[in-house]
Amino acid sequence: MAWSIAEVARMSGVTSRTLRHYDEIGLLPPAYLAANGHRYYEEADLLRLQQILLMRELDVGLKEIQAVLDSQADRVAVLREHHERLLAERDRIGTLARTVARTIAALTPDPLTPDEHRENGTEGTRKMKINRPENLFEGFAPDPDMEAEVQERWPAAYEESRQAVEGMTPEVTEEWQRETTAQMIRFAEFMAAGTPVADPAVQAEVDVHYRAVCRFWTPNAEAYRGLAAMYVDDPRFRANFDKIAEGLAEYQRDAMSVYADQRLS
């Protein structure tokens, strides 16, 4: 059985113009052309189109897609790999959904009970409260541009870190994300209290931070100071700190610089 380009466009949601482009670049030629020049596709072509769309969903470029499809790799094995990546993305989206649901619940005021009405002498709602601020950021994917920059600037450290991350289970990764945000909050509490960055309590927290970094790569004094400076200088890193408290990036940079001078030099 064969389907016209218009039928394939309707079934797949891909425009006829895109299908013609895929034909022109050799990514998805039709099974045959009719006498009137119209393109027709058979079942094998639809399966190929499905693989193209799957890899597009996973942000694979057209050249890379063509290389995979032309490599004669086992189709079922390739689909299994796509399936695993999609399941991982599903889990990440599920975590994001739970994050947003918790935030909605935290930001929705609870009505006062009748007893509370009598105590307050007025009608109203309880004050909104976020019990665990670190939960606000569960499930967010890392910035791909930032990852590429780190790979370019520190290739050896990037490779060491990549191997460590790949060995982490989803549960360990989630716990690490929570602890990272929780530690940023602890630094923010020191900052809000006016605690000097050289204070032993602050430096003890920096030591926890340094040991956490060493799970992925082991910076010397210069590298650790460079990481501290990047927290301030890179707007993407700085934005993460600003989500917790304004000025936190500078505070943690200064604390890390003291640690590098005293403990790593």
Side-chain angles (χ1 to χ4, degrees):
M1 184 174 179
W3 295 268
S4 69
I5 189 171
E7 290 172 319
V8 174
R10 176 182 53 78
M11 287 188 290
S12 65
V14 177
T15 65
S16 297
R17 179 178 180 180
T18 297
L19 290 170
R20 286 192 291 271
H21 175 64
Y22 288 171
D23 179 17
E24 290 165 1
I25 64 175
L27 182 59
L28 182 66
Y32 62 89
L33 295 177
N36 57 9
H38 290 176
R39 294 169 172 83
Y40 281 84
Y41 299 82
E42 295 179 346
E43 184 175 296
D45 308 311
L46 298 187
L47 289 171
R48 185 178 175 96
L49 177 59
Q50 184 199 54
Q51 288 188 280
I52 293 169
L53 297 182
L54 279 171
M55 284 187 274
R56 276 182 50 192
E57 288 289 332
L58 297 170
D59 295 325
V60 181
L62 292 181
K63 288 185 178 179
E64 291 78 8
I65 291 174
Q66 183 144 17
V68 170
L69 294 178
D70 293 346
S71 68
Q72 303 300 316
D74 181 83
R75 180 172 293 174
V76 173
V78 171
L79 285 172
R80 283 200 180 103
E81 181 180 346
H82 294 333
H83 186 239
E84 289 173 1
R85 293 178 64 181
L86 288 168
L87 289 177
E89 182 66 8
R90 180 201 63 185
D91 292 342
R92 188 181 73 83
I93 294 297
T95 300
L96 280 174
R98 291 190 295 273
T99 296
V100 174
R102 280 195 301 264
T103 303
I104 291 171
L107 296 179
T108 302
D110 291 333
L112 295 176
T113 67
D115 289 341
E116 289 169 329
H117 284 314
R118 286 191 291 272
E119 290 175 6
N120 289 284
T122 182
E123 293 188 1
T125 56
R126 296 189 188 91
K127 184 178 179 181
M128 296 175 289
K129 184 178 181 182
I130 297 174
N131 293 318
R132 298 183 63 190
E134 64 269 24
N135 286 343
L136 291 172
F137 310 108
E138 284 188 82
F140 288 94
D143 185 334
D145 293 333
M146 187 183 297
E147 183 176 348
E149 183 176 331
V150 171
Q151 183 177 7
E152 180 179 350
R153 293 176 66 179
W154 301 289
Y158 173 83
E159 180 60 25
E160 183 180 351
S161 175
R162 183 190 64 78
Q163 292 179 11
V165 170
E166 286 183 353
M168 294 169 65
T169 65
E171 293 77 17
V172 171
T173 300
E174 189 172 332
E175 177 61 29
W176 168 69
Q177 289 174 335
R178 280 199 298 268
E179 175 52 33
T180 297
T181 308
Q183 185 178 63
M184 292 168 72
I185 293 170
R186 293 195 293 272
F187 275 115
E189 289 170 345
F190 281 128
M191 182 182 70
T195 310
V197 295
D199 186 276
V202 177
Q203 288 302 302
E205 194 65 56
V206 178
D207 185 60
V208 173
H209 176 271
Y210 179 77
R211 294 177 186 279
V213 172
C214 288
R215 292 176 60 188
F216 305 98
W217 62 291
T218 306
N220 56 21
E222 181 183 1
Y224 197 54
R225 278 192 292 267
L227 177 63
M230 190 164 63
Y231 286 168
V232 175
D233 298 337
D234 192 305
R236 295 160 297 187
F237 273 104
R238 191 186 186 103
N240 287 331
F241 286 92
D242 285 346
K243 291 175 184 176
I244 306 297
E246 203 165 325
L248 179 58
E250 289 87 348
Y251 184 84
Q252 186 160 337
R253 174 202 60 193
D254 295 345
M256 290 168 63
S257 296
V258 170
Y259 184 90
D261 292 340
Q262 294 182 351
R263 301 283 294 273
L264 302 179
S265 295

